Amino acid sequence: MVLNAFNAGAYQETLRSSSRANVISMFPSLNGDIWTLRDDGLMEVWRDRGADGGHDQPLTPVRKFSISNELLMARRMSNQRFILLLYQRELWFASNRSIWVYDTHRSAEPLASVSGSTLLSIPAGQAQSTGIPLKIAQLSLTSHDSAITCITSNVEYMDESRIDSRGFVFCGTDAGHVIVWKASTYERWRTLDMSNGDADVHITAVACVSDRLLWIGYASGKISVVDIGPDSPQSAAV
């Protein structure tokens, strides 16, 4: 399938994908690659060739893999799906009250050997080149938690020596809470209650702009900035 995907400066890139499913998410990695997730679970990694990269042939993904089984389970629970990429390799996929974490540089098994795969749009001849990333953790919220509405992390803003102690993943929820996970151990660490007991407070967006500043957006239009550094007033909570 050939897609006229994007304009970049004075040239237009043509992308070739093996899937016809809808693109439901795309995000950049720190090295400049673009990752796309399709509605059939296919993830593709694209690398721009630049203006002088030879555009006589369609661009093909440098890597592709499937999370189709987890996407199928997520679709049964919610129509909202959220993606986070850490260390340019660790993929966090969240939906409703579940989070799956994968190491995309390690394969569990080739797609062709997975019985009953839902990734039907990949031709049989290409199935061997589409792997299943190794699932390294599956995290679940409790029945008392509301559904996840957004996800972010401060990991990309710190050096490796500090990740074990201060590297976090933050999940906003529909009940005005931010659930904090330790990025290195996948342990639920703390819950920040931003609702102040108000049931009408709904978090719609979270973003880290440094290793210690967490921005939180709400359905009301309000925005909070929380200092999550070890010497901040929030250090007792995070």
Side-chain angles (χ1 to χ4, degrees):
M1 181 179 183
V2 177
L3 305 170
N4 290 325
F6 60 87
N7 289 305
Y11 72 93
Q12 177 172 317
E13 190 71 89
T14 301
L15 310 185
R16 183 181 297 277
S17 173
S18 56
S19 172
R20 296 181 178 273
N22 296 335
V23 175
I24 58 176
S25 182
M26 61 172 56
F27 48 93
S29 67
L30 290 181
N31 67 353
D33 291 345
I34 296 291
W35 294 53
T36 58
L37 172 63
R38 296 180 181 273
D39 202 30
D40 57 6
L42 177 66
M43 294 214 64
E44 297 166 298
V45 182
W46 308 87
R47 186 164 297 159
D48 185 16
R49 293 178 290 201
D52 301 320
H55 303 278
D56 53 324
Q57 297 294 325
L59 183 67
T60 57
V62 294
R63 295 176 57 214
K64 56 184 179 178
F65 49 90
S66 167
I67 59 171
S68 58
N69 290 336
E70 288 74 17
L71 190 66
L72 179 62
M73 287 187 285
R75 190 181 293 125
R76 293 169 181 163
M77 298 183 293
S78 170
N79 61 359
Q80 291 187 306
R81 295 171 287 273
F82 307 96
I83 295 288
L84 176 69
L85 183 67
L86 301 183
Y87 323 113
Q88 299 183 40
R89 66 180 292 168
E90 193 171 287
L91 185 72
W92 290 57
F93 172 59
S95 180
N96 198 30
R97 294 182 178 89
S98 296
I99 303 172
W100 295 270
V101 186
Y102 310 89
D103 185 343
T104 63
H105 286 196
R106 299 165 64 192
S107 295
E109 52 188 324
L111 179 65
S113 67
V114 179
S115 176
S117 171
T118 60
L119 192 57
L120 301 179
S121 57
I122 287 191
Q126 300 182 37
Q128 286 287 358
S129 64
T130 305
I132 306 295
L134 183 66
K135 183 164 44 178
I136 52 181
Q138 182 170 347
L139 316 176
S140 297
L141 277 61
T142 71
S143 59
H144 301 290
D145 295 313
S146 292
I148 295 170
T149 57
C150 44
I151 186 170
T152 191
S153 176
N154 66 347
V155 164
E156 305 298 343
Y157 295 99
M158 60 180 58
D159 57 61
E160 190 172 334
S161 64
R162 297 177 57 225
I163 291 176
D164 284 348
S165 61
R166 300 302 301 175
F168 301 114
V169 172
F170 304 90
C171 294
T173 75
D174 198 43
H177 296 162
V178 177
I179 298 173
V180 186
W181 306 85
K182 294 281 284 185
S184 60
T185 62
Y186 318 112
E187 170 192 4
R188 181 167 175 166
W189 187 243
R190 293 288 188 271
T191 299
L192 303 179
D193 186 355
M194 308 304 295
S195 69
N196 294 318
D198 187 346
D200 292 328
V201 174
H202 309 288
I203 294 176
T204 55
V206 287
C208 287
V209 297
S210 69
D211 64 336
R212 64 182 296 159
L213 292 181
L214 174 66
W215 286 54
I216 304 172
Y218 304 86
S220 63
K222 175 185 173 182
I223 296 175
S224 297
V225 181
V226 178
D227 188 344
I228 55 175
D231 56 349
S232 72
Q234 289 289 340
S235 61
V238 180

